[in-house]
Amino acid sequence: EERFDRIARLAHHVFDVPMASITVLDKGRALFPGEYGLGTRAVARDATLCALTLSGKPVIIDDLSREPGFSTHPSVVDFGIHFYAGFPLMDPQGNVVGTLALYDVVPRHLEPDLLRALEDMATWAEQELVASSEMTAATRVQAAMLPEHPIRVDGWTISGVCLPSLAVGGDFYDYEVGNRVALVSLGDVMGKGTGAALVGAGVRSALRGNHGAVSAGVDLGITSTNVARSLYSDLERAE
């Protein structure tokens, strides 16, 4: 995503390194959702040094070629990297979910003020990465709340699709058949994003709570009014 590339570009300028990345490890691969100067979005996991930050501590190596065990590392042999600085990115539970990494083809040394700057930039990258992960999870949850399969009964088919303009939104649809009555509801919440999605989920639940009454033949005007009354104070506070 561009927001991750932006962080990598800024790291390039601030630390005057030819390469920088936000790295995420996935099984046998190292993925770069944000990168500058690497020219790739993925390499083999053993070709990167970012696994070293899984301990939760920063890893700063001024000259890889002079460190025991690193002179034959693929990052040195294949990519010519001599300097590496990696700062772990953590989720709220303290799990390492990524690394903000700097690379150079010549030995380097980061002074204390630059180390602090790296920590600050890593905090920014961490917030962006965790927010992205949470939004992905929210997207999955919202999709799971939509009807899973079309309904086919008596020659009729009911199906639907929802395509939010952002990762999540407030619009929804729902349907079911009860007592030979098809109940179809559509929701269109003003605004976009997580706030709208929360409102949409609340309205959907309130509507579902009246499905039994609708199936039993209660007038739609009565059930709709009941839903509106149950939501009114909450929606007023949410503006």
Side-chain angles (χ1 to χ4, degrees):
E1 295 185 28
E2 171 59 23
R3 58 182 172 153
F4 297 134
D5 283 342
R6 187 180 299 118
I7 296 173
R9 284 198 304 271
L10 187 58
H12 152 71
H13 290 294
V14 170
F15 301 100
D16 192 28
V17 292
M19 295 165 283
S21 74
I22 293 177
T23 307
V24 176
L25 300 178
D26 175 36
K27 297 182 180 178
R29 302 179 300 166
L31 308 177
F32 307 121
E35 66 89 17
Y36 179 88
L38 296 178
T40 182
R41 290 293 179 181
V43 297
R45 181 177 176 137
D46 60 6
T48 181
L49 296 158
C50 292
L52 297 174
T53 65
L54 293 179
S55 65
K57 298 180 180 179
V59 175
I60 313 292
I61 304 176
D62 292 352
D63 188 353
L64 289 162
S65 65
R66 292 180 176 273
E67 290 291 324
F70 288 107
S71 60
T72 58
H73 193 278
S75 63
V76 177
V77 177
D78 299 335
F79 300 100
I81 295 173
H82 282 258
F83 167 78
Y84 173 82
F87 210 99
L89 311 178
M90 301 184 182
D91 66 12
Q93 288 72 45
N95 304 305
V96 178
V97 295
T99 304
L100 175 62
L102 311 176
Y103 317 86
D104 206 334
V105 294
V106 297
R108 294 283 302 274
H109 178 71
L110 292 182
E111 299 296 335
D113 58 333
L114 287 180
L115 286 174
R116 286 192 296 272
L118 178 60
E119 182 177 4
D120 291 340
M121 194 168 291
T123 299
W124 174 24
E126 184 176 270
Q127 292 170 347
E128 292 287 348
L129 195 61
V130 170
S132 177
S133 176
E134 290 176 345
M135 192 59 69
T136 299
T139 301
R140 288 198 302 267
V141 170
Q142 188 170 48
M145 295 178 69
L146 297 173
E148 186 175 8
H149 303 293
I151 291 176
R152 295 181 175 88
V153 59
D154 293 344
W156 289 87
T157 299
I158 305 174
S159 63
V161 65
C162 183
L163 301 174
S165 59
L166 301 179
V168 294
D171 302 342
F172 68 90
Y173 67 90
D174 197 15
Y175 51 71
E176 68 176 52
V177 173
N179 195 28
R180 296 186 60 79
V181 175
L183 301 97
V184 179
S185 56
L186 299 174
D188 181 5
V189 181
M190 290 191 301
K192 307 294 180 185
T194 306
L198 290 171
V199 172
V203 173
R204 171 185 172 277
S205 296
L207 287 169
R208 279 206 159 192
N210 279 266
H211 279 189
V214 175
S215 297
V218 177
D219 183 79
L220 281 176
I222 295 175
T223 55
S224 297
T225 299
N226 286 339
V227 171
R229 285 176 174 169
S230 69
L231 292 171
Y232 183 79
S233 60
D234 292 339
L235 296 182
E236 279 288 292
R237 288 195 302 274
E239 299 182 353

